[in-house]
Amino acid sequence: MDTYFLKNEDIFKFYDHINQKYDLFVPLKLKTTLKVKCDYGFDLPSEDYYLKKYSQADKAEIVFNDYRPIEPARTFFTHFKEEICAYFADDKEKSLKERPIAVFGLKNCDLFSLKIQDFVFLGGSEPDPVYKERRENALIIASDCLHFKEACFCRAFDINPHPTEGFDFNLSPLNNGYVVEVASSKAKVIAAALKDIFTPATLGQLSGRSAKRESVIRRLDEHLDAHKIPKKEILKDIVVSGYNSPVWQEQMHTCVECAGCVLMCDTCHCFLLADEALAENARRLRLWDGCLFKNFTKVAGGANPLKMRYMRLRNRYLKKFNFFIDNMGIQACCGCGRCIDVCPGKIDIRYILRRLYEEKYLPAA
Amino acid sequence: MKKNIYQPLKATIEEIIQETPTIKTFRLKPEADFSFATGQFIELTLPGIGEAPFTPSSDPKVKDRLELTIMNAGQVTCALHNMNKGEVVGIRGPYGLGYPLDKFKGKDILIVGGGVGLAPLRSLLFSLFSDIDKYNKVIVRYGSRSPSDIVYKDSIPKWIKKDKVDFLVSVDVGDPSWAGNVGLVTTVLNNLPVNLNNAVGIVCGPPIMMKFVTLKLLDLGFKPADIYLSMEKSMSCGLGKCGHCRIGKFYACKDGPVFTYEQLKGLPDNYL
């Protein structure tokens, strides 16, 4: 992989160049008065970043996001609500020609999740044409995490807070610029066009990057020690054996059924094909759906295998840690902690997994 | 451009047969020939209303027509029941794995249906009848709530008379005109004329009936791998992507909708 150094003052040249061909999304800081304090001694940041379409007007506010943005990566590839095709073959075809997107600010957790999304939407008997087109044309500009949120727990599942695969570019901040890794042929073309601002990275810069990466890992590991999250190898085991655990009902006492956890989830992929009746004709829509919604599995006769809230919570864990491990070999959880941040009921995946582990392996004497 | 996988094919309602007060059979004429294997399902789309999964009840050998026997139960089916001949609907599919006819060859085939669950089984019966020499015999036990809830009233007497076919109907509650058996379908599963060493059981019906029939068949000595169940789930995409129809490590839409009990037996009670 080619490695370059890009100075801070040249980053906008990089953005401008990409923006010519792509719809570029860049990180901005979310202005909110909400502060979440970590209550066991760590002084962790609580600001959030969001990704916005690049515009000269926002120039002063564009930042480097120290950790993952607020929205899941899949928002760029399957939209929350979109027309998926012309209703019938002889209806006017919805134009699939969209401007390709470039996303700056995705982290390694997001790249892990895109593997799950790819498995679902590109795999199987036939790929999803809309997802495929967007995904193949997109430019992923990933970056290292310099910090982490209280809810971050990627390392618990051996996912590092810096990307090593699955991106076109990866940016690692160092001193007065970025170490840029150029992975794909698409990215190489861009790097070649920008050779004035891309200088080959020095060995010193590479070891500087390693030191920074190790420091983040060390601090994150220390933070995660307190949570005692089970190892990824044992997730399937504890979720299956914990089928009748009291933890499901107990944790759902505070659930308000907003389904924020599934909608903010980086790896959740469920959707519903729905019709929208318009005066002239109907439209075929694809909407994000999720198993925390009451009617997710309801059938026409009225039977609903997931009629209780605790069943729906359990279903989510079985899907992530049983179904995906069986079918794909990896758990459908990247440790981004978005479900923890979004939950008004403070339902915490780290705590639930720990409880399932302790109930099986450390039962009270 | 390649056809979009979510795009339905137009089909015109050609004939509507009132089977029972709540069940109608719709004969559709698709815009282009439409093939399916018995037991596979399709997504039926009503423009502006929505989609629902159904298993065709017609003979898979017929490519230019498709029949669906549907109970008025939910949003889509209610709208469908209010439609008339000549109106246009959409169909997508077929999806999933149907009945493995190859594995049934030379065997005693026990078919247990409940209510509108006879619909997919009718398509299976057509397939079996057209190649009846390949199978040892076909035993059908059909349970219905009352005599008026029996579907395919015209066809059943013809099927009963067929060679190598043993067809019995039971109703949960009889009426003065009913001369047949009264009782749940499980009550007509004793002393079956089947050779258990060379038999398969195929079950389709409401979830509660499937559960008790499966238990009964196991009790009679059917092997879990020889019991075939049609699983009812709220499939949306039919392509193993939308996530609605998960059953353990399977998706009903791509690994089913026909499963053997062997595949499902380790799962908790509600198959999740």
Side-chain angles (χ1 to χ4, degrees):
Chain A
M1 235 180 272
D2 304 338
T3 325
Y4 297 92
F5 192 77
L6 173 69
K7 288 196 199 114
N8 272 337
E9 61 257 37
D10 292 330
I11 188 89
F12 282 98
K13 288 184 194 153
F14 179 55
Y15 291 159
D16 287 332
H17 181 84
I18 290 171
N19 199 44
Q20 288 169 14
K21 200 182 147 200
Y22 295 89
D23 273 351
L24 173 67
F25 289 82
V26 288
L28 273 72
K29 213 169 237 183
L30 191 69
K31 292 193 182 72
T32 169
T33 50
L34 186 74
K35 292 275 177 251
V36 183
K37 269 212 86 71
C38 178
D39 54 8
Y40 45 87
F42 285 88
D43 186 20
L44 298 177
S46 64
E47 290 94 353
D48 266 308
Y49 301 96
Y50 69 106
L51 303 179
K52 193 179 173 192
K53 209 165 153 220
Y54 179 68
S55 133
Q56 296 290 341
D58 294 324
K59 227 169 169 175
E61 288 175 61
I62 297 169
V63 292
F64 177 85
N65 54 328
D66 285 352
Y67 37 82
R68 49 101 184 136
I70 197 162
E71 66 268 65
R74 62 183 169 124
T75 33
F76 296 100
F77 304 106
T78 61
H79 300 162
F80 179 72
K81 173 183 175 183
E82 63 181 321
E83 189 173 5
I84 195 75
C85 62
Y87 207 97
F88 289 116
D90 49 3
D91 293 340
K92 197 171 155 288
E93 187 60 49
K94 172 189 177 285
S95 169
L96 282 179
K97 283 278 162 278
E98 291 174 8
R99 237 167 95 87
I101 52 163
V103 190
F104 176 45
L106 298 183
K107 301 295 183 178
N108 203 26
C109 50
D110 299 319
L111 302 184
F112 178 89
S113 301
L114 285 178
K115 284 193 223 170
I116 307 271
Q117 302 291 340
D118 286 351
F119 177 80
V120 172
F121 289 104
L122 301 180
S125 50
E126 286 181 274
D128 179 300
V130 178
Y131 180 92
K132 187 166 185 269
E133 168 128 354
R134 281 187 194 135
R135 184 79 172 93
E136 283 174 357
N137 294 335
L139 191 73
I140 306 281
I141 310 162
S143 55
D144 289 10
C145 289
L146 294 186
H147 222 313
F148 48 87
K149 290 196 81 181
E150 198 280 322
C152 289
F153 63 102
C154 56
R155 281 281 297 165
F157 297 154
D158 299 333
I159 297 164
N160 280 322
H162 59 263
T164 46
E165 55 171 12
F167 53 81
D168 295 295
F169 286 105
N170 185 63
L171 271 62
S172 318
L174 186 74
N175 303 330
N176 57 344
Y178 302 90
V179 175
V180 183
E181 217 156 77
V182 179
S184 65
S185 50
K186 261 189 288 193
K188 281 189 181 125
V189 173
I190 295 169
L194 293 172
K195 60 179 185 296
D196 305 348
I197 58 170
F198 275 41
T199 53
T202 64
L203 282 176
Q205 282 163 338
L206 291 181
S207 65
R209 178 179 72 171
S210 302
K212 270 196 134 164
R213 287 177 167 179
E214 278 157 27
S215 146
V216 178
I217 289 177
R218 201 171 51 243
R219 281 182 288 140
L220 181 52
D221 284 352
E222 195 186 341
H223 163 67
L224 291 176
D225 272 350
H227 286 285
K228 299 192 167 57
I229 302 166
K231 291 274 157 223
K232 66 175 194 293
E233 291 76 15
I234 207 162
L235 294 170
K236 181 182 151 137
D237 172 32
I238 57 172
V239 169
V240 171
S241 71
Y243 191 84
N244 292 315
S245 163
V247 75
W248 308 117
Q249 296 210 34
E250 202 180 275
Q251 289 297 301
M252 283 306 258
H253 284 151
T254 53
C255 176
V256 296
E257 303 189 46
C258 67
C261 48
V262 286
L263 298 177
M264 290 305 278
C265 180
D266 224 6
T267 62
C268 276
H269 63 83
C270 292
F271 62 84
L272 180 72
L273 295 174
D275 274 41
E276 186 176 43
L278 297 174
E280 63 280 23
N281 60 352
R283 295 205 305 155
R284 297 277 287 153
L285 302 180
R286 176 173 61 196
L287 303 155
W288 284 8
D289 202 350
C291 57
L292 266 285
F293 285 119
K294 191 170 158 189
N295 290 343
F296 184 72
T297 53
K298 196 175 148 203
V299 295
N304 186 354
L306 301 178
K307 59 180 175 293
M308 307 296 281
R309 289 188 305 184
Y310 79 91
M311 296 173 179
R312 302 200 278 276
L313 179 72
R314 180 174 62 196
N315 178 70
R316 183 159 188 259
Y317 283 66
L318 286 168
K319 175 77 181 274
K320 291 193 173 305
F321 303 116
N322 186 14
F323 178 91
F324 268 103
I325 290 176
D326 267 345
N327 282 284
M328 199 189 159
I330 55 175
Q331 79 286 354
C333 176
C334 63
C336 69
R338 287 180 174 98
C339 57
I340 302 167
D341 274 353
V342 77
C343 185
K346 295 194 188 306
I347 300 168
D348 191 328
I349 186 167
R350 297 169 297 185
Y351 175 75
I352 293 173
L353 292 174
R354 176 182 169 180
R355 273 282 302 274
L356 291 172
Y357 176 79
E358 290 179 353
E359 278 167 17
K360 175 149 192 199
Y361 290 101
L362 306 168
Chain B
M1 204 186 82
K2 198 178 163 297
K3 196 175 144 317
N4 189 300
I5 52 172
Y6 303 117
Q7 192 170 56
L9 177 73
K10 262 187 197 170
T12 312
I13 302 177
E14 195 180 63
E15 185 68 59
I16 301 173
I17 303 146
Q18 186 90 41
E19 302 279 357
T20 79
T22 57
I23 300 170
K24 287 179 181 175
T25 294
F26 298 84
R27 186 186 304 141
L28 307 179
K29 185 179 187 309
E31 216 174 31
D33 279 5
F34 189 89
S35 312
F36 68 97
T38 179
Q40 281 190 308
F41 74 98
I42 63 137
E43 288 282 346
L44 176 75
T45 315
L46 305 188
I49 310 282
E51 250 182 354
F54 300 99
T55 301
S57 56
S58 51
D59 189 341
K61 285 211 169 63
V62 179
K63 310 286 182 211
D64 59 348
R65 298 288 189 280
L66 186 76
E67 285 182 10
L68 300 166
T69 303
I70 294 171
M71 183 193 271
N72 184 347
Q75 202 188 345
V76 173
T77 54
C78 178
L80 181 69
H81 271 246
N82 289 327
M83 290 177 83
N84 298 309
K85 274 197 259 187
E87 291 192 67
V88 172
V89 298
I91 51 175
R92 274 197 303 128
Y95 299 118
L97 307 173
Y99 292 106
L101 292 174
D102 280 351
K103 290 193 184 162
F104 299 166
K105 279 180 189 156
K107 295 201 172 171
D108 293 355
I109 303 168
L110 170 68
I111 295 175
V112 188
V116 76
L118 195 61
L121 298 175
R122 185 176 76 154
S123 150
L124 173 64
L125 286 175
F126 284 136
S127 304
L128 298 178
F129 291 161
S130 63
D131 270 328
I132 195 76
D133 300 342
K134 290 188 185 154
Y135 311 101
N136 206 22
K137 58 177 142 174
V138 179
I139 303 115
V140 185
R141 294 292 177 265
Y142 174 53
S144 166
R145 263 180 309 197
S146 73
S148 65
D149 288 316
I150 295 171
V151 293
Y152 312 130
K153 289 188 192 73
D154 295 340
S155 309
I156 290 175
K158 292 179 209 154
W159 297 338
I160 289 176
K161 287 189 202 120
K162 277 189 182 287
D163 272 356
K164 297 172 90 172
V165 175
D166 177 340
F167 201 117
L168 190 74
V169 182
S170 181
V171 297
D172 300 353
V173 183
D175 65 19
S177 66
W178 181 250
N181 192 78
V182 176
L184 296 176
V185 73
T186 41
T187 61
V188 287
L189 295 177
N190 294 312
N191 306 319
L192 289 168
V194 294
N195 171 10
L196 282 174
N197 294 320
N198 190 36
V200 293
I202 296 157
V203 191
C204 185
I208 187 81
M209 169 264 181
M210 301 245 290
K211 180 179 169 180
F212 285 101
V213 171
T214 306
L215 293 174
K216 179 82 186 175
L217 296 186
L218 289 169
D219 205 31
L220 291 172
F222 278 86
K223 287 192 275 299
D226 290 333
I227 301 175
Y228 293 86
L229 307 169
S230 287
M231 300 306 293
E232 180 195 38
K233 287 276 160 195
S234 56
M235 301 92 151
S236 174
C237 73
L239 297 150
K241 299 191 193 297
C242 79
H244 282 84
C245 60
R246 187 181 70 82
I247 301 177
K249 64 178 178 182
F250 304 115
Y251 276 138
C253 70
K254 99 181 164 29
D255 306 302
V258 178
F259 289 96
T260 63
Y261 181 68
E262 180 76 30
Q263 288 174 288
L264 305 179
K265 68 179 178 185
L267 296 170
D269 223 18
N270 60 2
Y271 294 127
L272 285 162

